[in-house]
Structures are given as C-alpha cells and as structure tokens.
Amino acid sequence: MSLVITLPDGSKKEFNHALTIKEVASSIATSLAKSAVAGKVNDEIRPLDFVVDTDARVAIITDKDEEGLQVLRNTAAFVFEMVASKQYPSVRLGTSELEEDGFFVDTDKEDQIKASELPDLEKEMQKIVKNGEKIEYKIVSKSELLDLFKDDPYKLELLKEEADEVAVYKLEDFVDFGFNALLLNTGKLKHFKLLSVAGAYWQGKSSNPMLQRIFGTAFFKEADLKADLQRREDIKERDHRTIGRDLDLFFVDPKVGAGLPYWMPKGATIRRVIERYIIDKEVADGYQHVYTPVLMNLDAYKTSGHWAHYREDMFPPMDMGDGEMLELRPMNCPSHIQIYNHHIRSYRELPIRIAELGMMHRYEKSGALSGLQRVREMTLNDGHTFVELDQVQSEFAKILKLIMEVYRDFDITDYYFRLSYRDPKNTDKYFANDEMWERSQKMLKGAMDDLGLEYVEAEGEAAFYGPKLDIQTKTALGNDETMSTIQLDFMLPERFNLSYVGKDGEEHRPVMVHRGIVGTMERFIAYLTEIYKGAFPTWLAPLQVKIIPVNNDAHGEYAQNVKDQLMKLGFRAEVDFRNEKLGYKIREAQTQKVPYTLVLGDDELQHNSVNVRKYGSEDQESKALSEFVSELSADVASYSRNK
C-alpha cells in the first residue's frame, strides 16, 4: 500500500504502510516525537497510537501547544475517574469536560464525595502517575459498551449520542469513552491538583438529579501549576460571594428563591449610594427619570420582537383570566417607548432622554446562577434617547462622555471598545432588514472614527434590533465583561410607529438610542466588590468611620457625640460599645475594611480630637476633630481618587 501524509507547512511524506501518529512524529524528528502528546488527523485530535492508514493531513501536537494542555487535562480527568471508581465501587460517572483553566468530572454516589476526600484521591492518582501506566486506545462496538455500563444510567444516556463504533480508553480494568485524545501513558501527568467540589444538575436541568462536580487542573510544568494555584487563591480572596458573606452585604437563599438576592443593610447602603450618584449624574446630563411597571402586556413584547428572539430568557406569561396576558419584563425599552408615545412629540423637544433604574426579570437556569453576577431579578441602569437622524452622532458622543466621567469616578481604567455588528447569516437572531443594518452600523462606526477612538469589531455580538458599542472591562477574576453599551435602533421606532412633528409640520420617525452606563446594580456591585477586594473607597463604603472608646464609661459619651456630629454631616459612622478588648475591636474594624477607625481616650476627650487609623495602615495620627472632618469631606468629595 501507499499513503501520503501532508504536514502543516504543505510538505508531503510518502509511506508504504500504515503508521501511528507517534511514528509520523519520529519520521520528522526524534525531538518532536519526544515532545509529542497527540496529533491532528484531518483537523481531528487523535491519540499518538491512532493509526493513519489513508492519505491525510497530519499535525503533531506537543506539550507546548494549547491543545497539548487539553490532552493532558483530559488525561487527568480520566485518571481521576479511574481512581474514583476504584475507591468508591458504587460511584457512577457523568460528564467529564474541559473548561478554560482545567477540567471537571461529574460523579454520583450515595454519600457524595467531599472536599476533604480530595487529598486522598490525589495520592492515589500520584501512584498511577509514578508507575507511568499505559493508557490503551481502541475501538469497540456500542453494544459492548451498553452491556458494560448497563447499571450506570448516566453512561447509558451519553451512549445514545455515540455511533455504532466508539473510541474508548482503558487503564488497568477501567474503561471510559468521550475523550478525543489522551496521553499514551500516565508518565507526563506529574503536575495536577484536585481543586474543589460543587453540586451540578445532570445535563444542567434542575429536574434532573444533583450530581457532585469535582474540579481539577493540570500542567506540564510545576512552575505553571504553582502560578495557577496562586492565581486561584487571589481569585478566592476577591470572590464577591465570599466577600459579600464576610462583610454581610447580601445573601441568596435557594429555599426562598434561587437567583434572588437579599440586600443586607450594608450592601443596601452601597447600592443606594451608587443609585443616587447615577441618578444625579443623569439628571444633570438632561435625562428625565421615570418609574415604569415590572409587568407589561405580552403583546408589547411581541411587537418589540423580544417574544420571538428572547422567549427562552423570559418567564412564562401570566394569564389574568380575561384574555390579558401579563409578562415580567426582561427589558425596559418597550416601557420607555410607552413614555415617549404618551404625548405628541415635536422636533423642538428632541433629543428626549428617558432613564430609569428599571427592575427586570430573566429566566436563568439554576446551573447558570452565580451570586450577584447571574441573577433572575436585576435592576438595570437603563436609558433611551429619542433623536433626529442628524443628532445621532452628537448624542452618541454625549453618552460616551458621560460613561467616561462615571468610569473616572469609580476608578475604572481597564477597558476597551468593541463595535458589535450583526451576523448577516444568522437570520433567526437578527431583524431582517439589510438596509437598516448597513445604515446603522456605518453610522456607529463613523461616530467612533470621528471621536478618534480605537476599537475592535465583533460580528454576531449585536442586539437583535441594532448594532452597538460595547465597553468591555476586565474583572478582577480576569473575565471579559460588558460594562456599558450604546445601541442604535431604527427597528423599534418602526415597529411601535413612533413619530415626531418636524420643522415641515410632517410626521417623522425618530432614531432610538439605547444606553446603559454601569449595567445592572447587581453585576456592577459584584464587579466593584472584586476590584476593591471588599475595601470600598470611602465615598462608597457602607461604614465610613468606626469609633472605638478606650473605656465605655469614661469615653462613651464623647464617642457618641463624635458619631452624632459625623452623622449630621452626612457621614456613615458607628460606635463600638461592645465589652471587648481594645485591640480586638481595632483588628475587627480592619477585618471589616472600614476606611477610618477613630480611637478615643483621655487625650482625645480633653482636646476634642481623634486618633485616626486608616484601613490597611499600621500608622495612627492624632488630629483635631474639625481637621478630621475636613479630611473626610475631601476624601468623599473626590470620590476617594488617588491624587
């Protein structure tokens, strides 16, 4: 026989026999064969012992390639499965998948695997690795696997998606399928870690059993693993769910409603400060703030297109019994359209800017819910501007200027601009009007070019009704997230028959500009909590000043007097009257990340002064109360920005 292997550089190698990917690598270079972990055959990832027996394109995957890391992590997941099945004979295995930074395996047994058991499972995995045991690849019939897994409902479910012949891997007596490629043996799997345990519904459906999801990661180099574990530790410290619990900001209790946050007094204070700030900024910028209902007739969402394009993310309609169907709103735009349409509008009024902290509801699956990041009820800092066509560019620039001012006050600096266009091939998602799309996308791009701002372009990221500018931020956990957006919309004004009377006395169609400055209150506060690590700047801190009398009897009255003065000036202050040691109270104020701690003793009482300790500093400084008030006022007025 004769076959031709085409390499990535276009060169060809001829062979007179079938050969494995490993042998292909050896024919190119001995060093390549040593670093090889898998290969690509006609763009499909295959293990090194996969036999190539026809003409094919072949690329060698090494331990330096991203796909090589995927092979390593798949192998780690497979070895974990083998060890788990050995340690717990009754365990049943569900899905095993890769994620951005590692892998996870879903397991199910009567007493679910606990986090405390992971170190022992790791040790058993290390024994397998140390021995460098062979992992065998072969093709078996589906019927053979149906018999092998007859007592495992999860594997039987997964086998429904497989063809009549299935690729499997075998380690000792353990067999599994669903992996595109694993290492030839366990020898290279030296640097791995089982990380955590969480619950996960089988196939993500809340009606299915809750399984135990084991997370892990693996690297080819020990230094890379250590760096990743350090990064994860930093993420854990910044996780807004952990900080929210420790600082008593909010909680979510599935017993009373998954994805429905309860804001505790401290968290509610942070939210209130942000809401007041945003409203004041918008009113000063010409917005009219409104309140609109969270319920709306379903027909409005059918007119807007949300029902057709967004139905899966909407709650089921409520039948009011008289033919009226009400819907919990997933978006505020139809509500603001009703505000605009309530009066006859003139060109003299435009631009008309309508804003609201509008509560919305989204039908999020249970598995997708996460703290304040993904919730079912949220309040959006929403706004819609209705403009004439020749006002679009100037209004766009005005909105962007407002966004930049807000970013400056919150010290948000890590962001970039993304122009989000439609995917013209996706006729299901996007409103079908080529002329409208071309016009609005050209207008949006022109506005950015006129401002001289750099941006990236992304096809398929537009809203279903129009293109948008997304301002993408990096969260403290390294995720790319849309913080703000400005969207051009020619569609909804058409669908709702919006108009204004122009200079010529005739009716004209306005352009609608959707914009969000900081997104939802929930996600924004999660973002800030992680960026600040819970140490909110003074103007945002739920408690700005903790006052500690050295002796409650001797200095308590003065401490209360200082608190009253600060409260009258609008600051958030509290006296710690607990019967605890002074050092303990000071340390706890630091743990709670209070910006200023005032310790008041005899000297402070005598001189009407305060002893000031700033959060994060061991230094203390005595100063007149009036001087401290001036310092505190300046801190808050400057939004606690670094000078």
Side-chain angles (χ1 to χ4, degrees):
M1 67 177 294
S2 175
L3 62 89
V4 177
I5 300 295
T6 304
L7 301 176
D9 63 0
S11 62
K12 299 179 186 296
K13 293 179 76 72
E14 290 189 29
F15 299 90
N16 58 11
H17 57 85
L19 69 171
T20 65
I21 294 174
K22 178 82 169 177
E23 289 170 331
V24 174
S26 295
S27 75
I28 300 170
T30 304
S31 59
L32 181 63
K34 286 182 178 179
S35 62
V37 295
K40 268 186 178 180
V41 180
N42 295 330
D43 298 324
E44 296 287 336
I45 299 179
R46 296 290 183 243
L48 286 175
D49 51 357
F50 178 86
V51 176
V52 183
D53 56 8
T54 61
D55 292 352
R57 301 186 314 277
V58 177
I60 306 302
I61 298 171
T62 73
D63 53 17
K64 305 232 176 356
D65 297 320
E66 183 62 32
E67 288 156 323
L69 199 55
Q70 293 173 9
V71 172
L72 181 76
R73 289 170 177 172
N74 269 326
T75 306
F78 177 74
V79 173
F80 166 77
E81 287 184 344
M82 181 265 193
V83 165
S85 63
K86 204 174 190 180
Q87 292 290 103
Y88 315 111
S90 64
V91 74
R92 293 179 293 187
L93 300 169
T95 303
S96 171
E97 291 184 20
L98 296 178
E99 51 178 12
E100 186 178 356
D101 299 314
F103 64 87
F104 66 78
V105 176
D106 288 344
T107 67
D108 187 28
K109 68 186 189 76
E110 189 173 341
D111 296 318
Q112 298 286 33
I113 296 174
K114 302 177 183 64
S116 59
E117 298 172 64
L118 297 186
D120 289 336
L121 290 168
E122 260 186 35
K123 288 177 183 176
E124 293 303 312
M125 289 176 67
Q126 285 163 355
K127 291 177 185 177
I128 302 292
V129 170
K130 188 176 181 180
N131 295 335
E133 297 189 21
K134 179 178 174 55
I135 299 173
E136 184 181 355
Y137 165 79
K138 60 181 182 174
I139 304 296
V140 301
S141 68
K142 185 174 180 177
S143 59
E144 185 179 336
L145 291 179
L146 288 171
D147 183 60
L148 179 65
F149 293 112
K150 63 180 183 295
D151 297 325
D152 190 328
Y154 306 116
K155 289 298 179 186
L156 292 178
E157 185 73 23
L158 293 172
L159 275 170
K160 290 179 182 179
E161 305 298 321
E162 297 291 335
D164 290 338
E165 291 191 326
V166 185
V168 302
Y169 291 89
K170 184 178 180 184
L171 177 59
E172 295 183 358
D173 295 329
F174 177 74
V175 175
D176 199 9
F177 62 94
F179 302 99
N180 54 14
L182 300 183
L183 298 173
L184 284 178
N185 59 64
T186 62
K188 287 190 176 182
L189 184 63
K190 295 177 181 177
H191 312 296
F192 65 89
K193 183 72 177 175
L194 298 180
L195 298 164
S196 60
V197 176
Y201 289 112
W202 169 239
Q203 295 186 329
K205 295 179 181 177
S206 57
S207 56
N208 285 343
M210 174 69 80
L211 307 186
Q212 207 72 353
R213 179 164 289 180
I214 312 300
F215 292 90
T217 193
F219 290 88
F220 285 106
K221 295 180 179 178
E222 184 180 13
D224 291 340
L225 176 62
K226 286 183 176 179
D228 183 72
L229 295 177
Q230 182 57 52
R231 181 187 62 82
R232 289 175 186 273
E233 192 60 36
D234 185 53
I235 285 174
K236 194 184 298 183
E237 289 179 9
R238 289 183 182 274
D239 192 318
H240 78 279
R241 294 166 297 183
T242 303
I243 294 171
R245 180 197 65 217
D246 293 345
L247 299 187
D248 201 22
L249 304 180
F250 73 94
F251 71 88
V252 180
D253 188 346
K255 295 175 186 174
V256 292
L260 303 174
Y262 284 73
W263 294 89
M264 297 299 284
K266 289 180 179 179
T269 297
I270 296 168
R271 176 170 170 164
R272 185 169 59 252
V273 171
I274 294 171
E275 289 178 346
R276 286 173 176 172
Y277 165 88
I278 286 292
I279 291 173
D280 288 346
K281 290 288 285 188
E282 290 178 337
V283 168
D285 213 42
Y287 286 87
Q288 303 172 71
H289 258 262
V290 299
Y291 294 98
T292 58
V294 297
L295 289 168
M296 192 176 232
N297 193 297
L298 180 61
D299 290 341
Y301 296 112
K302 290 181 177 179
T303 300
S304 70
H306 286 98
W307 185 247
H309 293 273
Y310 209 73
R311 187 184 310 183
E312 290 186 359
D313 296 300
M314 298 170 67
F315 278 93
M318 291 172 269
D319 188 342
M320 304 310 291
D322 54 2
E324 183 182 29
M325 302 293 286
L326 291 182
E327 177 66 37
L328 279 168
R329 69 178 175 196
M331 299 286 187
N332 302 310
C333 21
S335 300
H336 291 182
I337 284 172
Q338 301 309 313
I339 296 282
Y340 177 90
N341 239 3
H342 190 62
H343 296 299
I344 296 172
R345 302 295 185 176
S346 164
Y347 74 95
R348 296 180 186 279
E349 298 175 75
L350 303 183
I352 291 175
R353 303 182 183 97
I354 296 170
E356 179 179 12
L357 291 169
M359 184 180 289
M360 310 182 307
H361 294 80
R362 305 271 175 88
Y363 187 70
E364 296 278 6
K365 299 278 184 7
S366 297
L369 299 173
S370 177
L372 297 176
Q373 287 278 6
R374 294 291 291 272
V375 293
R376 288 176 172 156
E377 179 184 273
M378 65 217 75
T379 299
L380 181 64
N381 160 227
D382 210 357
H384 298 90
T385 302
F386 301 87
V387 300
E388 294 184 273
L389 190 60
D390 62 3
Q391 295 174 327
V392 169
Q393 308 257 117
S394 60
E395 187 63 21
F396 179 90
K398 182 179 178 64
I399 294 169
L400 193 53
K401 180 175 179 288
L402 175 61
I403 291 172
M404 294 299 97
E405 288 176 1
V406 172
Y407 280 23
R408 180 171 179 267
D409 289 342
F410 284 96
D411 200 23
I412 299 170
T413 57
D414 191 0
Y415 59 86
Y416 67 93
F417 299 112
R418 184 184 75 189
L419 289 184
S420 298
Y421 304 142
R422 70 158 174 170
D423 176 358
K425 298 174 187 173
N426 190 341
T427 54
D428 291 331
K429 178 178 178 181
Y430 295 111
F431 180 58
N433 185 325
D434 290 342
E435 183 184 353
M436 180 277 287
W437 280 102
E438 291 300 323
R439 183 186 195 188
S440 54
Q441 289 180 178
K442 184 177 179 181
M443 193 171 285
L444 191 65
K445 188 176 189 304
M448 288 296 287
D449 289 340
D450 286 349
L451 292 169
L453 296 171
E454 293 183 4
Y455 53 85
V456 299
E457 297 174 290
E459 192 175 88
E461 294 292 339
F464 72 84
Y465 48 76
K468 54 180 178 164
L469 168 71
D470 289 322
I471 303 180
Q472 301 295 112
T473 57
K474 275 287 185 190
T475 69
L477 308 190
N479 300 319
D480 199 46
E481 186 175 278
T482 301
M483 176 71 72
S484 310
T485 185
I486 308 173
Q487 305 170 7
L488 298 189
D489 184 0
F490 290 81
M491 187 196 81
L492 292 185
E494 190 74 33
R495 288 197 164 193
F496 283 95
N497 196 29
L498 302 187
S499 65
Y500 66 91
V501 179
K503 293 178 183 178
D504 56 6
E506 300 294 325
E507 287 192 348
H508 298 270
R509 190 80 69 209
V511 179
M512 188 174 176
V513 183
H514 307 244
R515 45 103 293 191
I517 305 298
V518 296
T520 66
M521 289 297 107
E522 289 74 15
R523 183 169 286 188
F524 187 53
I525 292 173
Y527 166 82
L528 293 178
T529 301
E530 292 177 353
I531 287 292
Y532 298 141
K533 253 185 173 177
F536 291 90
T538 308
W539 75 283
L540 276 179
L543 181 64
Q544 295 168 323
V545 183
K546 174 65 72 77
I547 305 166
I548 303 175
V550 173
N551 181 288
N552 287 342
D553 293 331
H555 314 115
E557 185 178 345
Y558 177 55
Q560 185 64 46
N561 180 42
V562 170
K563 176 199 167 183
D564 291 344
Q565 290 184 58
L566 293 174
M567 296 284 282
K568 284 177 183 177
L569 292 169
F571 301 115
R572 298 182 288 279
E574 182 182 280
V575 181
D576 189 342
F577 281 122
R578 292 175 303 161
N579 188 27
E580 299 284 356
K581 292 182 178 179
L582 179 63
Y584 174 83
K585 292 182 180 182
I586 293 171
R587 284 193 300 275
E588 190 177 64
Q590 292 285 301
T591 301
Q592 290 295 302
K593 305 178 191 291
V594 181
Y596 293 95
T597 300
L598 306 183
V599 179
L600 308 182
D602 290 338
D603 194 58
E604 288 74 31
L605 174 62
Q606 184 178 351
H607 297 98
N608 195 34
S609 64
V610 291
N611 184 280
V612 183
R613 299 167 185 248
K614 287 187 178 181
Y615 171 74
S617 173
E618 295 292 325
D619 297 334
Q620 51 185 303
E621 184 180 2
S622 290
K623 57 183 67 177
L625 177 59
S626 58
E627 184 183 350
F628 171 70
V629 168
S630 296
E631 178 184 318
L632 183 57
S633 298
D635 190 352
V636 172
S638 67
Y639 300 107
S640 308
R641 286 192 291 259
N642 292 326
K643 301 299 186 288

